[in-house]
Amino acid sequence: MNADFSSLYNHHEREVFAAVIDASKDYPEIADSNDLLCDVACVALNRLPPRYIRHEVDFSFYLTEHERLEIDNAIAEAVGYAFNFVQARTALRARK
């Protein structure tokens, strides 16, 4: 049996990536480094529960407006935390 799971993905990935790009303008010292932006995305994603889906439309269709708002707020909070975390770690490394 050959199963193909390539259509599965974590719903939060795309939204976190977009939020990281959007927020990066407020963190120019991080925005210039692809490695640091990837670190921010990893930290943010690790703060969110995974929501694996196959089709975006199916996921969005079954969400209530309240659930959508909760997810948006959780993503914004996770991304803000992640930028501050990576910024602090980068400053700490620079002192050494």
Side-chain angles (χ1 to χ4, degrees), residues 2-71:
N2 291 331
D4 179 9
F5 298 109
S6 63
S7 65
L8 302 177
Y9 66 95
N10 181 352
H11 171 265
H12 295 316
E13 288 175 359
R14 293 178 184 171
E15 293 200 18
V16 165
F17 298 160
V20 167
I21 296 301
D22 186 50
S24 68
K25 66 184 176 298
D26 298 328
Y27 300 89
E29 64 284 353
I30 294 174
D32 292 338
S33 169
N34 186 65
D35 286 341
L36 292 178
L37 287 174
C38 287
D39 289 346
V40 169
C42 285
V43 171
L45 284 166
N46 283 326
R47 294 185 61 82
L48 297 166
R51 299 289 298 255
Y52 285 95
I53 61 172
R54 289 186 63 198
H55 306 288
E56 182 69 32
V57 69
D58 293 340
F59 180 73
S60 298
F61 179 76
Y62 290 106
L63 286 179
T64 66
E65 186 61 32
H66 178 72
E67 289 170 322
R68 182 84 208 127
L69 185 58
E70 283 182 338
I71 290 171

